[in-house]
């Protein structure tokens, strides 16, 4: 989804907003239900407490000695009414009734009801049991207790004490402000937590609605699998990739599953965290063009995006083009030299210096022809011979003496193809010419030969050759290019092996990286020397040895 498209759905509630509203509704329901349950629990507790209180009051009045003595008199009401009213007011009861076994009231909160029958259940009390019940009497619904009064083992009266539901409701009502206050405080705290959570979700989802997130995911997933460039996205930690598309796994030979930075090629592991533009990286099989950008959100870096393009075929074609261009420049240089020599010979003939003209012409011809004959006789591959001849003239044009050693002899470039041989030797010679050009007197020395197990070895060549030969003493292809330059340190040589690196500002430095890739692919060994002279050696085992 494009960024401009995201604002088209602003009328819809974002994921954070929907989560906030849903949480408020759920929390409101939970807290409301909790408040109702708290009120019901408070009422239940109040009922239980009231039942105990009315039972205690009824038993106290029934067991009082004054109550029994009053019942023995002709007018129990005169003695009992004042006492029960004082007790009622002191204990918070709504009524205390003392009655005869036939329900006739001796006392009541309303004096007009004295002498009238008691309304309620008394059968269980007449049977000797103390019990409580909820009953609607003359004062309204109430919780009451009824207990018998004994005199010499006989039930002579009953006592009932009770509290109306209205009073109990008033008692529960005093707790409502506390319950509602706690519920309101819980709702406020929950709403604040939901708001903070929604803000975090809004930051993480950039205020997108759920359907926008789904559409964005589907589109991004389709794009990642369809683009023909490798894509690797790292988050703020930069240790583990958050996104790796199929092309990146193919180009970098990455395994399935999570990808860490340590799984990338060594050169890409050491890339800077900032912006990288068109950096060449060489792996065992490919030449890659790498770009890296820092992704920011609200001026804050949130990760890096690495894009990778395969330039293997392009660089191969460019390498072949460079070789052809080098041959063309060599031919041009030779043509230029031949023209100068021809003019010199013609002028000497015109001056009548015939013998000197013949000697001058044949001397130059003998030198060139001798080198050509020696290379064609000792080097079995015509492409390699042509390359070496071209490099001799190219070096001479830059004022550098390039020498092909006498022990150069090769019947075949196997296991390398002609193109691979040109890449290997051409890049090594080009680097040597560049290095030698900085000195006052520059020279380059090239050796290409087949090294057999029976041939004597001299250090440091022997270690490299022994490391790649088979146990049965097979042969190896040996290339050595020395020059008058300062040579490369071990650190610089290792960096050149990792990726395109050059000590010159105007070079991308792919030469040695390409050579390393080729040598690794064929199981060979490449090394560098600085003493007694700067040199690079390559040893590649024959196919049967590998």
């Amino acid at each position: 989804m494009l960024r401009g498209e995201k604002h088209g759905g602003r009328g819809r509630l974002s994921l954070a907003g929907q989560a906030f509203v849903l949480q408020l509704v759920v929390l409101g329901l939970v807290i409301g239900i909790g408040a109702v349950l708290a009120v019901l629990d408070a009422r239940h507790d109040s009922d239980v407490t009231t039942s105990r209180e009315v039972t205690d009051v009824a038993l106290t009045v029934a067991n009082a000695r004054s109550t029994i003595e009053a019942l023995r008199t002709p007018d129990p009401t005169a003695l009992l009414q004042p006492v029960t009213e004082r007790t009622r007011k002191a204990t918070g009861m709504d009524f205390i009734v003392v009655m005869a076994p036939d329900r006739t009231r001796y006392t009541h909160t309303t004096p007009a009801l004295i002498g009238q029958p008691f309304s309620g259940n008394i059968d269980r009390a007449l049977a000797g049991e103390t019990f409580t019940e909820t009953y609607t009497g003359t004062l309204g619904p109430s919780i009451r207790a009824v207990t018998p009064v004994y005199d010499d083992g006989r039930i002579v009266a009953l006592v009932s004490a009770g509290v109306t539901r209205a009073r109990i409701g008033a008692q529960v009502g005093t707790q409502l402000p506390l319950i509602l206050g706690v519920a309101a405080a819980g709702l406020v705290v929950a709403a604040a937590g939901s708001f903070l959570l929604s803000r975090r979700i809004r930051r993480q989802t950039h205020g997108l609605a759920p359907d926008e997130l789904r559409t964005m995911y589907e589109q991004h997933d389709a794009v990642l699998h369809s683009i023909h460039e490798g894509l690797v996205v790292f988050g703020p930690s930069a240790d583990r990739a958050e996104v790796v598309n199929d092309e990146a796994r193919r180009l970098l030979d990455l395994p399935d599953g999570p990808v860490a930075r340590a799984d990338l090629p060594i050169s890409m592991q050491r890339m800077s965290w900032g912006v990288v533009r068109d950096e060449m990286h060489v792996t065992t099989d490919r030449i890659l063009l790498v770009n890296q950008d820092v992704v920011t959100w609200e001026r804050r870096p949130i990760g890096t995006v690495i894009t990778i393009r395969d330039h293997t075929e392009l660089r191969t074609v460019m390498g072949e083009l460079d070789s052809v261009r080098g041959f063309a420049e060599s031919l041009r240089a030779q043509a230029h030299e031949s023209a100068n020599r021809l003019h010199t010979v013609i002028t000497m003939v015109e001056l009548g210096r015939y013998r000197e003209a013949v000697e001058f012409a044949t001397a130059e011809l003998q030198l060139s022809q001798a080198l050509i004959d020696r290379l064609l006789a000792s080097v079995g591959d015509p492409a390699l011979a042509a390359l070496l001849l071209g490099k001799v003239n190219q070096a001479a044009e830059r004022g550098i003496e390039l020498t092909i050693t006498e022990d150069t002899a090769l019947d075949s470039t196997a296991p390398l193809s002609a193109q691979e041989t040109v890449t290997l030797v051409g890049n090594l010679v080009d680097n040597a010419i560049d290095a030698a050009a900085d000195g006052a007197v520059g020279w380059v020395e090239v050796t290409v030969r087949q090294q057999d197990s029976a041939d004597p070895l001299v250090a440091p060549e022997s270690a490299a050759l022994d490391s790649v030969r088979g146990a049965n003493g097979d042969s190896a292809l040996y290339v050595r290019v020395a020059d008058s330059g300062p040579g490369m340190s071990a650190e610089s040589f290792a960096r050149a092996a990792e990726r395109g690196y050059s000590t010159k500002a105007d070079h991308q430095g792919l030469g040695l990286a390409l050579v390393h890739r080729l040598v690794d692919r064929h199981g060979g060994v490449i090394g560098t020397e600085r003493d007694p002279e700067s040199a690079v050696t390559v040893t590649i085992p024959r196919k049967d040895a590998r």
Side-chain angles (χ1 to χ4, degrees), residues 182-201:
V182 172
L187 185 60
V188 170
V189 172
S194 298
F195 177 72
L196 294 177
L197 179 61
S198 69
R199 286 188 60 187
R200 178 179 178 84
I201 295 175

Side-chain angles (χ1 to χ4, degrees), residues 243-415:
V243 176
V244 182
N245 71 342
D246 298 338
E247 185 67 6
R249 292 184 186 275
R250 185 184 71 84
L251 294 177
L252 301 177
D253 294 326
L254 297 175
D256 294 333
V259 174
R261 185 170 287 272
D263 296 326
L264 301 180
I266 296 178
S267 61
M268 293 183 65
Q269 296 178 26
R270 299 180 179 177
M271 279 198 316
S272 63
W273 198 82
V275 177
V276 174
R277 286 288 176 267
D278 295 336
E279 231 181 46
M280 287 292 178
H281 290 257
V282 179
T283 66
T284 303
D285 300 320
R286 296 180 178 89
I287 303 171
L288 305 175
L289 185 68
V290 178
N291 286 276
Q292 178 175 270
D293 287 284
V294 179
V295 181
T296 60
W297 182 264
E298 296 179 351
R299 300 182 179 180
R300 178 174 55 89
I302 60 174
T304 56
V305 176
I306 301 175
T307 57
I308 308 162
R309 282 181 286 173
D310 191 357
H311 272 217
T312 305
E313 294 184 1
L314 177 61
R315 287 293 167 178
T316 301
V317 173
M318 290 182 64
E320 294 177 357
L321 180 60
D322 289 340
S323 299
V324 174
R325 185 183 294 112
F327 293 154
E329 290 178 355
S330 299
L331 292 175
R332 180 185 56 79
Q334 287 182 350
H336 186 268
E337 285 296 313
S338 298
N340 289 335
R341 293 167 186 165
L342 181 59
H343 290 159
T344 302
V345 172
I346 292 174
T347 302
M348 294 175 72
V349 170
E350 290 177 348
L351 294 175
R353 310 294 294 270
Y354 305 113
R355 186 174 58 82
E356 289 85 349
V358 171
E359 290 176 353
F360 178 80
T362 56
E364 292 294 329
L365 180 61
Q366 287 174 355
L367 290 175
S368 300
Q369 191 62 42
L371 178 60
I372 294 173
D373 292 342
R374 182 165 68 87
L375 286 178
L376 291 179
S378 59
V379 178
D381 188 277
L384 178 59
L387 174 69
L388 294 175
L389 287 172
K391 294 301 181 182
V392 169
N393 293 322
Q394 182 181 346
E397 192 176 30
R398 298 181 60 179
I400 298 171
E401 180 183 1
L402 193 153
T403 305
I404 312 299
T405 59
E406 293 295 333
D407 59 343
T408 294
L410 196 67
D411 57 354
S412 171
T413 60

Side-chain angles (χ1 to χ4, degrees), residues 83-260:
V83 175
T84 56
E85 281 300 299
R86 287 196 302 269
T87 303
R88 181 185 66 81
K89 294 177 181 179
T91 57
M93 298 291 104
D94 284 320
F95 64 87
I96 298 177
V97 177
V98 180
M99 71 193 83
D102 62 356
R103 294 179 178 269
T104 301
R105 295 188 182 100
Y106 293 133
T107 64
H108 197 279
T109 303
T110 305
L113 298 178
I114 296 175
Q116 296 184 10
F118 175 78
S119 59
N121 299 314
I122 62 172
D123 295 339
R124 293 166 63 186
L126 291 174
E129 180 184 354
T130 300
F131 68 94
T132 60
E133 66 174 354
T134 300
Y135 190 83
T136 302
T138 57
L139 299 180
S142 63
I143 295 179
R144 61 179 64 179
V146 182
T147 186
V149 178
Y150 290 93
D151 185 10
D152 294 333
R154 294 182 302 108
I155 298 176
V156 296
L158 302 175
V159 177
S160 176
V163 177
T164 62
R165 280 290 186 189
R167 180 186 290 269
I168 296 173
Q171 292 174 352
V172 173
T174 60
Q175 301 179 30
L176 280 178
L178 177 61
I179 295 174
L180 296 178
V182 172
L187 185 60
V188 170
V189 172
S194 298
F195 177 72
L196 294 177
L197 179 61
S198 69
R199 286 188 60 187
R200 178 179 178 84
I201 295 175
R202 184 177 291 107
R203 286 197 304 267
Q204 292 178 339
T205 60
H206 305 309
L208 295 175
D211 57 340
E212 292 175 322
L213 289 172
R214 176 183 55 79
T215 303
M216 179 179 291
Y217 172 78
E218 292 173 350
Q219 292 177 350
H220 285 193
D221 187 65
V223 170
L224 288 176
H225 288 288
S226 62
I227 60 176
H228 297 290
E229 287 189 0
L231 182 67
V232 182
V233 180
F234 285 94
S237 64
D239 292 329
R240 186 174 295 277
E242 297 182 354
V243 176
V244 182
N245 71 342
D246 298 338
E247 185 67 6
R249 292 184 186 275
R250 185 184 71 84
L251 294 177
L252 301 177
D253 294 326
L254 297 175
D256 294 333
V259 174

